[in-house]
Amino acid sequence: MLFQINSLWQLLGWVLVFAALVITNEIERRTKFGGIFFFGIVLAVLTVYFIAIQIGAATGAQWALNNPTFTYMNGWFHYAKLYAAVAGCIGFMLLKYKKGIGATHWFKAFPFVIVAINILIAVVSDFESAMNAFKVTGDFSGAWWASNEGVFLYGGWWNVVNGIAGLINIFCMTGWWGIYSSKDKNHQDMLWPDMTIWFIVAYDIWNFQYTYANLPTHTWYCGVALLLAPTFANALWNKGGWIQNRANTLATWCMFAQIAPLFQICERFSVLPSLYEGANGLAAIDLYDSAIAVYQSGVNTAGEAIAQFGITANPTAQGVVSILALVANVICISVIIKRSIEQKKNPYKEEIFAGTRDYIEAMERAE
């Protein structure tokens, strides 16, 4: 099993997150106002809120120091991911509405650039976890360490394998200039027809493993519900719009998680992965204070600290999924190389999946 499911509340939480992401994505993509509201107005308000928290914490204000956003989500990664995702959403809106630089040909490369940046952020985090484990054991066999957000992580060779899969995944994005607006009345979608099921599956497996290994206490939501929401929409009614769906749902989730982190780590909705063997119904929040104490001590005693909860490491699933991620991305890049050779095309300058079902269905929606 990948997760320790022992309550209907955990299943309900997943359904609520999945449904909310699908619904908000529809609001964000269907009208200009929906996109401007979420990625302009809401983000501006949250930015003021984040700055106020940082100022308050710097001056020793208890309301800021005890704020859940500061306590549980103050690491660089979460802020980087939020603003990178929103930057993608705004860029995609400019492209689909052909506004400003969105009407220029050179800006069609923006989707590749912003997705590559997001992947690289995650790859860096994977390698960071592997190196922290290496410092403990002198190899990549696996070791516990504590993050600055109060999470016990178990780094090892699986992080290296998945990091390599992520690097390959960047080059699985083809047809960089093949970006279109949908031909419906409101130009609802930015379409990338060459981003077919080959890339989507390779990306989803890689990104799931990334969250599973590096965000273990969040991955039931950000590694399952969040990944399935855009893929679900792309498969059923928004063919060719997967990358826009992904950016919208990712940005929306990051905003929610940043201001309401207790939802996914409190006792009722928290879901731990199988890595935490012996957790016996513990929630992520139960482990928080101990992990923070280890991090602040500057000495890696994470192994001893987490053992006090009766937990032992079971990284089997991490290893299996990381290998699947690498295999999926190697297969994807192999297909791309094969098609590019057969068609005598540069896979990044030209679209190489033309003629496939995914591509045809997406192009039927293009302006």
Side-chain angles (χ1 to χ4, degrees):
M1 291 182 63
L2 295 173
F3 296 99
Q4 301 181 42
I5 306 295
N6 49 45
S7 168
L8 289 176
W9 284 109
Q10 297 166 317
L11 298 176
L12 175 62
W14 189 94
V15 171
L16 290 174
V17 169
F18 178 80
L21 289 173
V22 170
I23 292 170
T24 53
N25 178 50
E26 291 304 299
I27 296 171
E28 292 156 356
R29 61 175 276 261
R30 288 180 180 274
T31 65
K32 289 182 182 179
F33 176 76
I36 292 171
F37 175 75
F38 279 96
F39 309 128
I41 298 172
V42 172
L43 183 67
V45 172
L46 290 182
T47 299
V48 173
Y49 174 69
F50 297 149
I51 293 172
I53 290 173
Q54 295 300 322
I55 294 174
T59 58
Q62 288 303 308
W63 69 268
L65 293 172
N66 296 327
N67 186 286
T69 295
F70 184 81
T71 303
Y72 302 106
M73 301 289 284
N74 200 44
W76 69 268
F77 172 81
H78 293 292
Y79 284 109
K81 200 69 175 176
L82 168 59
Y83 285 96
V86 173
C89 295
I90 294 172
F92 297 168
M93 288 178 65
L94 292 175
L95 281 164
K96 73 176 182 177
Y97 295 127
K98 299 180 180 178
K99 297 293 184 181
I101 58 175
T104 63
H105 179 71
W106 67 266
F107 195 66
K108 288 184 176 182
F110 173 78
F112 165 77
V113 173
I114 197 65
V115 176
I117 290 172
N118 273 272
I119 293 173
L120 284 172
I121 291 172
V123 168
V124 168
S125 191
D126 246 328
F127 289 154
E128 177 189 33
S129 185
M131 290 307 300
N132 280 327
F134 183 85
K135 292 175 184 178
V136 177
T137 62
D139 55 36
F140 295 106
S141 60
W144 289 106
W145 63 284
S147 75
N148 66 333
E149 291 158 355
V151 180
F152 286 112
L153 303 177
Y154 197 73
W157 61 265
W158 40 87
N159 293 102
V160 177
V161 171
N162 199 58
I164 294 171
L167 293 175
I168 296 173
N169 191 246
I170 292 174
F171 295 97
C172 290
M173 291 184 283
T174 60
W176 298 352
W177 307 102
I179 304 298
Y180 305 87
S181 296
S182 58
K183 62 185 177 183
D184 44 72
K185 182 178 178 181
N186 296 317
H187 295 310
Q188 295 177 359
D189 299 301
M190 185 205 79
L191 304 175
W192 191 343
D194 221 44
M195 186 169 274
T196 64
I197 192 65
W198 288 100
F199 173 81
I200 294 170
V201 170
Y203 176 94
D204 280 357
I205 298 174
W206 161 76
N207 193 262
F208 169 78
Q209 168 57 14
Y210 161 71
T211 64
Y212 196 65
N214 299 280
L215 302 168
T217 58
H218 299 180
T219 193
W220 176 238
Y221 299 105
C222 71
V224 183
L226 178 57
L227 280 172
L228 287 180
T231 302
F232 177 77
N234 180 83
L236 296 184
W237 65 81
N238 192 7
K239 186 66 71 175
W242 178 86
I243 192 60
Q244 176 187 259
N245 300 340
R246 169 59 177 166
N248 288 355
T249 52
L250 176 60
T252 303
W253 170 254
C254 287
M255 287 188 281
F256 171 76
Q258 200 70 4
I259 61 173
L262 289 174
F263 172 83
Q264 57 190 330
I265 65 173
C266 69
E267 182 176 357
R268 179 163 290 179
F269 294 114
S270 176
V271 176
L272 295 179
S274 59
L275 169 68
Y276 297 91
E277 190 170 275
N280 297 324
L282 289 174
I285 198 168
D286 297 322
L287 309 175
Y288 170 79
D289 287 337
S290 178
I292 281 293
V294 171
Y295 173 79
Q296 292 178 342
S297 72
V299 179
N300 191 353
T301 56
E304 294 85 348
I306 200 167
Q308 295 179 0
F309 293 93
I311 295 173
T312 56
N314 180 13
T316 303
Q318 291 186 345
V320 170
V321 182
S322 66
I323 292 172
L324 286 176
L326 182 60
V327 170
N329 278 279
V330 168
I331 291 175
C332 185
I333 197 69
S334 299
V335 169
I336 290 168
I337 293 171
K338 181 176 181 292
R339 291 185 67 89
S340 64
I341 292 174
E342 290 175 345
Q343 299 175 34
K344 297 180 180 179
K345 290 181 178 179
N346 183 319
Y348 306 113
K349 290 183 178 180
E350 302 172 87
E351 297 159 276
I352 66 163
F353 286 100
T356 63
R357 186 177 66 176
D358 279 4
Y359 182 91
I360 292 171
E361 290 180 358
M363 285 303 294
E364 288 174 349
R365 302 181 59 223
E367 185 178 36

